[in-house]
PDB file of all heavy atoms in Angstrom:
ATOM      1  N   ALA A 200     -14.872   2.402  16.357  1.00  0.00           N
ATOM      2  CA  ALA A 200     -15.749   3.393  16.947  1.00  0.00           C
ATOM      3  C   ALA A 200     -16.676   4.079  15.873  1.00  0.00           C
ATOM      4  O   ALA A 200     -17.406   4.970  16.246  1.00  0.00           O
ATOM      5  CB  ALA A 200     -14.946   4.493  17.666  1.00  0.00           C
ATOM      6  N   ALA A 201     -16.546   3.681  14.626  1.00  0.00           N
ATOM      7  CA  ALA A 201     -17.286   4.344  13.536  1.00  0.00           C
ATOM      8  C   ALA A 201     -17.103   5.783  13.512  1.00  0.00           C
ATOM      9  O   ALA A 201     -18.005   6.632  13.347  1.00  0.00           O
ATOM     10  CB  ALA A 201     -18.793   3.950  13.685  1.00  0.00           C
ATOM     11  N   ALA A 202     -15.835   6.214  13.699  1.00  0.00           N
ATOM     12  CA  ALA A 202     -15.551   7.732  13.836  1.00  0.00           C
ATOM     13  C   ALA A 202     -15.293   8.192  12.405  1.00  0.00           C
ATOM     14  O   ALA A 202     -14.149   8.662  12.013  1.00  0.00           O
ATOM     15  CB  ALA A 202     -14.255   7.935  14.708  1.00  0.00           C
ATOM     16  N   TRP A 203     -16.319   8.230  11.606  1.00  0.00           N
ATOM     17  CA  TRP A 203     -16.145   8.472  10.192  1.00  0.00           C
ATOM     18  C   TRP A 203     -15.748   9.952   9.922  1.00  0.00           C
ATOM     19  O   TRP A 203     -14.924  10.169   9.016  1.00  0.00           O
ATOM     20  CB  TRP A 203     -17.392   8.123   9.346  1.00  0.00           C
ATOM     21  CG  TRP A 203     -17.985   6.795   9.704  1.00  0.00           C
ATOM     22  CD1 TRP A 203     -19.221   6.463  10.052  1.00  0.00           C
ATOM     23  CD2 TRP A 203     -17.242   5.554   9.696  1.00  0.00           C
ATOM     24  NE1 TRP A 203     -19.363   5.076  10.208  1.00  0.00           N
ATOM     25  CE2 TRP A 203     -18.227   4.490  10.034  1.00  0.00           C
ATOM     26  CE3 TRP A 203     -15.989   5.195   9.405  1.00  0.00           C
ATOM     27  CZ2 TRP A 203     -17.830   3.192  10.116  1.00  0.00           C
ATOM     28  CZ3 TRP A 203     -15.534   3.831   9.434  1.00  0.00           C
ATOM     29  CH2 TRP A 203     -16.464   2.868   9.855  1.00  0.00           C
ATOM     30  N   ASP A 204     -16.284  10.810  10.670  1.00  0.00           N
ATOM     31  CA  ASP A 204     -15.983  12.240  10.527  1.00  0.00           C
ATOM     32  C   ASP A 204     -14.448  12.484  10.754  1.00  0.00           C
ATOM     33  O   ASP A 204     -13.727  13.242  10.079  1.00  0.00           O
ATOM     34  CB  ASP A 204     -16.754  13.184  11.419  1.00  0.00           C
ATOM     35  CG  ASP A 204     -18.180  13.212  10.876  1.00  0.00           C
ATOM     36  OD1 ASP A 204     -18.503  12.837   9.826  1.00  0.00           O
ATOM     37  OD2 ASP A 204     -19.055  13.732  11.750  1.00  0.00           O
ATOM     38  N   GLN A 205     -13.947  11.833  11.861  1.00  0.00           N
ATOM     39  CA  GLN A 205     -12.540  12.076  12.190  1.00  0.00           C
ATOM     40  C   GLN A 205     -11.605  11.347  11.138  1.00  0.00           C
ATOM     41  O   GLN A 205     -10.548  11.878  10.730  1.00  0.00           O
ATOM     42  CB  GLN A 205     -12.217  11.353  13.476  1.00  0.00           C
ATOM     43  CG  GLN A 205     -10.697  11.619  13.991  1.00  0.00           C
ATOM     44  CD  GLN A 205     -10.530  11.134  15.391  1.00  0.00           C
ATOM     45  OE1 GLN A 205     -11.443  10.802  16.165  1.00  0.00           O
ATOM     46  NE2 GLN A 205      -9.231  11.075  15.817  1.00  0.00           N
ATOM     47  N   ILE A 206     -12.017  10.214  10.652  1.00  0.00           N
ATOM     48  CA  ILE A 206     -11.276   9.574   9.509  1.00  0.00           C
ATOM     49  C   ILE A 206     -11.295  10.466   8.255  1.00  0.00           C
ATOM     50  O   ILE A 206     -10.192  10.690   7.547  1.00  0.00           O
ATOM     51  CB  ILE A 206     -11.862   8.213   9.235  1.00  0.00           C
ATOM     52  CG1 ILE A 206     -11.551   7.269  10.382  1.00  0.00           C
ATOM     53  CG2 ILE A 206     -11.306   7.536   7.885  1.00  0.00           C
ATOM     54  CD1 ILE A 206     -12.244   5.858  10.373  1.00  0.00           C
ATOM     55  N   THR A 207     -12.407  11.041   7.984  1.00  0.00           N
ATOM     56  CA  THR A 207     -12.473  11.918   6.839  1.00  0.00           C
ATOM     57  C   THR A 207     -11.548  13.154   7.062  1.00  0.00           C
ATOM     58  O   THR A 207     -10.865  13.622   6.097  1.00  0.00           O
ATOM     59  CB  THR A 207     -13.930  12.456   6.640  1.00  0.00           C
ATOM     60  OG1 THR A 207     -14.721  11.342   6.164  1.00  0.00           O
ATOM     61  CG2 THR A 207     -14.008  13.559   5.579  1.00  0.00           C
ATOM     62  N   ALA A 208     -11.548  13.647   8.202  1.00  0.00           N
ATOM     63  CA  ALA A 208     -10.668  14.873   8.542  1.00  0.00           C
ATOM     64  C   ALA A 208      -9.182  14.445   8.272  1.00  0.00           C
ATOM     65  O   ALA A 208      -8.434  15.269   7.818  1.00  0.00           O
ATOM     66  CB  ALA A 208     -10.933  15.381   9.938  1.00  0.00           C
ATOM     67  N   GLN A 209      -8.824  13.285   8.788  1.00  0.00           N
ATOM     68  CA  GLN A 209      -7.388  12.868   8.716  1.00  0.00           C
ATOM     69  C   GLN A 209      -7.011  12.550   7.259  1.00  0.00           C
ATOM     70  O   GLN A 209      -5.890  12.765   6.878  1.00  0.00           O
ATOM     71  CB  GLN A 209      -7.077  11.711   9.645  1.00  0.00           C
ATOM     72  CG  GLN A 209      -7.204  12.211  11.027  1.00  0.00           C
ATOM     73  CD  GLN A 209      -6.963  11.097  12.094  1.00  0.00           C
ATOM     74  OE1 GLN A 209      -6.995  11.336  13.272  1.00  0.00           O
ATOM     75  NE2 GLN A 209      -6.892   9.838  11.695  1.00  0.00           N
ATOM     76  N   ALA A 210      -8.028  12.036   6.525  1.00  0.00           N
ATOM     77  CA  ALA A 210      -7.760  11.810   5.095  1.00  0.00           C
ATOM     78  C   ALA A 210      -7.582  13.139   4.356  1.00  0.00           C
ATOM     79  O   ALA A 210      -6.654  13.277   3.480  1.00  0.00           O
ATOM     80  CB  ALA A 210      -8.915  10.967   4.434  1.00  0.00           C
ATOM     81  N   ARG A 211      -8.414  14.073   4.669  1.00  0.00           N
ATOM     82  CA  ARG A 211      -8.318  15.429   4.090  1.00  0.00           C
ATOM     83  C   ARG A 211      -6.984  16.026   4.356  1.00  0.00           C
ATOM     84  O   ARG A 211      -6.461  16.781   3.532  1.00  0.00           O
ATOM     85  CB  ARG A 211      -9.492  16.228   4.482  1.00  0.00           C
ATOM     86  CG  ARG A 211      -9.599  17.600   3.834  1.00  0.00           C
ATOM     87  CD  ARG A 211     -10.788  18.351   4.160  1.00  0.00           C
ATOM     88  NE  ARG A 211     -11.955  17.750   3.633  1.00  0.00           N
ATOM     89  CZ  ARG A 211     -12.927  17.240   4.340  1.00  0.00           C
ATOM     90  NH1 ARG A 211     -12.865  17.286   5.727  1.00  0.00           N
ATOM     91  NH2 ARG A 211     -14.008  16.634   3.819  1.00  0.00           N
ATOM     92  N   GLU A 212      -6.571  15.893   5.611  1.00  0.00           N
ATOM     93  CA  GLU A 212      -5.256  16.547   6.024  1.00  0.00           C
ATOM     94  C   GLU A 212      -4.149  15.967   5.208  1.00  0.00           C
ATOM     95  O   GLU A 212      -3.250  16.681   4.763  1.00  0.00           O
ATOM     96  CB  GLU A 212      -5.037  16.273   7.513  1.00  0.00           C
ATOM     97  CG  GLU A 212      -3.806  16.989   8.070  1.00  0.00           C
ATOM     98  CD  GLU A 212      -3.594  16.627   9.585  1.00  0.00           C
ATOM     99  OE1 GLU A 212      -4.108  15.644  10.028  1.00  0.00           O
ATOM    100  OE2 GLU A 212      -2.914  17.503  10.215  1.00  0.00           O
ATOM    101  N   ALA A 213      -4.175  14.646   4.984  1.00  0.00           N
ATOM    102  CA  ALA A 213      -3.176  14.034   4.189  1.00  0.00           C
ATOM    103  C   ALA A 213      -3.215  14.547   2.733  1.00  0.00           C
ATOM    104  O   ALA A 213      -2.230  14.819   2.056  1.00  0.00           O
ATOM    105  CB  ALA A 213      -3.293  12.549   4.207  1.00  0.00           C
TER     106      ALA A 213
END
Side-chain angles (χ1 to χ4, degrees):
W203 311 130
D204 288 346
Q205 186 174 348
I206 289 171
T207 293
Q209 292 180 174
R211 183 175 294 115
E212 185 181 24

